[in-house]
Amino acid sequence: MYALPDVGRITSRENQLIKEAALLKASARRRAEQSLFIAEGLRLCADAVRSGIIVRRLFFTPGFSQSHPDELGYILDASESAYETMPHALEKLADTQSPQGVVCVCEMPREPEDFGRVLTPGNAVLALEDVRDPGNLGSAARTAEALGFSALVLSAGGCSPYNPKALRASMGAFFRIPVKTAANMPDFIRSCGQINTFASVVDADALPVTRADFSKGGVLLIGSEGQGLTKETVGACSHRITIPMAGRAQSLSASAAAAIMMWQLTINN
């Protein structure tokens, strides 16, 4: 049993630390300005610590400390500050229907300084352009990690990986896989040089993904839920690939398309 040390106490929803953390939960702009984000729940908080994420502040309820004393101790040991928080106050930070009673304010990991090291023959990279649904974004990241992709590239116009729903859907993948933000996706593609770049399109004239040569790795690009990849991005890619579909469906969700594409490219090569 972990012996809980002296920690701060928060009893009011109007506490300044609670207000500041609530703004991080609600505002992507605030998160970007402060390079901080909210992790909620035992699994995400523990994953953050295991992944070397810096935990600035830890909030937990008395009930959580009683039901998960050892797990709390593990997270608390890695936290710069910690506060036992009454449930009605912690609810202000929760984004789930049944909060577990633990929330961390964490520092965003730094983007890789030399992303060119990732863009080498044999490595697989997933790039998502303007994917705005947090569930799709997180699910795609989780699948990319599971299938051994080396990194993620996200367009500046898409959902933030530190959106609370995206984080939960990723099951912590954003903590473990390098993430780069591309201010301009076509420019990023052109910077890949001789690395193969595969644009996922809904076009019968494109190469079926089952026939694509991914043996040398490359960058797989998936577009937004409603519009797909922009014409400029497709034009910058070296290959156009598509998922052959039967039935009356004309398209798939971004996360479903990404999962099928990544799986097919991985098992074929």
Side-chain angles (χ1 to χ4, degrees):
M1 181 73 70
Y2 185 88
L4 191 67
D6 290 335
V7 296
R9 301 289 189 276
I10 293 177
T11 60
S12 171
R13 290 169 59 91
E14 301 307 310
N15 178 277
Q16 188 61 31
L17 293 177
I18 294 293
K19 288 182 176 181
E20 291 174 2
L23 285 174
L24 292 174
K25 181 190 77 168
S27 170
R29 180 177 179 179
R30 186 81 167 194
R31 292 192 293 269
E33 288 174 347
Q34 298 194 2
S35 294
L36 298 173
F37 68 93
I38 290 285
E40 179 192 349
L42 173 57
R43 178 160 187 163
L44 267 186
C45 291
D47 274 355
V49 172
R50 278 192 292 269
S51 302
I53 302 295
I54 296 174
V55 179
R56 290 278 193 86
R57 289 183 287 280
L58 164 65
F59 302 95
F60 62 92
T61 63
F64 182 83
S65 67
Q66 293 170 9
S67 59
H68 298 86
D70 296 326
E71 294 91 338
L72 174 61
Y74 174 72
I75 302 168
L76 198 151
D77 283 343
S79 304
E80 293 182 356
S81 58
Y83 302 88
E84 186 180 63
T85 306
M86 293 300 103
H88 68 277
L90 195 67
E91 284 176 1
K92 196 168 183 177
L93 309 184
D95 194 60
T96 58
Q97 292 185 346
S98 302
Q100 287 184 296
V102 60
V103 171
C104 290
V105 174
C106 305
E107 281 190 17
M108 292 181 183
R110 293 184 180 181
E111 291 193 0
E113 294 182 1
D114 185 6
F115 197 76
R117 293 183 180 180
V118 178
L119 293 172
T120 56
N123 281 352
V125 173
L126 175 66
L128 302 174
E129 183 178 41
D130 297 342
V131 173
R132 296 184 175 88
D133 181 271
N136 278 336
L137 176 63
S139 295
R142 181 181 179 184
T143 305
E145 183 191 25
L147 294 179
F149 274 57
S150 301
L152 294 169
V153 178
L154 307 178
S155 67
C159 177
S160 165
Y162 302 106
N163 173 288
K165 291 182 176 63
L167 275 177
R168 289 200 303 278
S170 78
M171 298 295 281
F174 290 121
F175 301 154
R176 298 181 292 270
I177 188 169
V179 179
K180 174 181 174 61
T181 301
N184 182 284
M185 194 63 79
D187 284 348
F188 165 74
I189 296 167
R190 287 186 280 268
S191 75
C192 293
Q194 300 302 309
I195 301 296
N196 288 326
T197 49
F198 298 84
S200 174
V201 298
V202 181
D203 189 340
D205 293 332
L207 182 70
V209 66
T210 51
R211 291 167 47 198
D213 181 5
F214 206 60
S215 59
K216 296 180 180 179
V219 181
L220 170 63
L221 290 107
I222 302 291
S224 67
E225 295 81 359
Q227 304 299 320
L229 295 170
T230 62
K231 290 182 180 180
E232 293 77 12
T233 293
V234 174
C237 290
S238 57
H239 301 78
R240 294 163 63 251
I241 58 176
T242 192
I243 300 171
M245 291 188 288
R248 300 172 64 180
Q250 295 182 339
S251 63
L252 298 168
S253 70
S255 60
I260 292 170
M261 288 282 192
M262 286 189 286
W263 171 253
Q264 192 67 58
L265 291 173
T266 300
I267 64 170
N268 276 0
N269 299 284

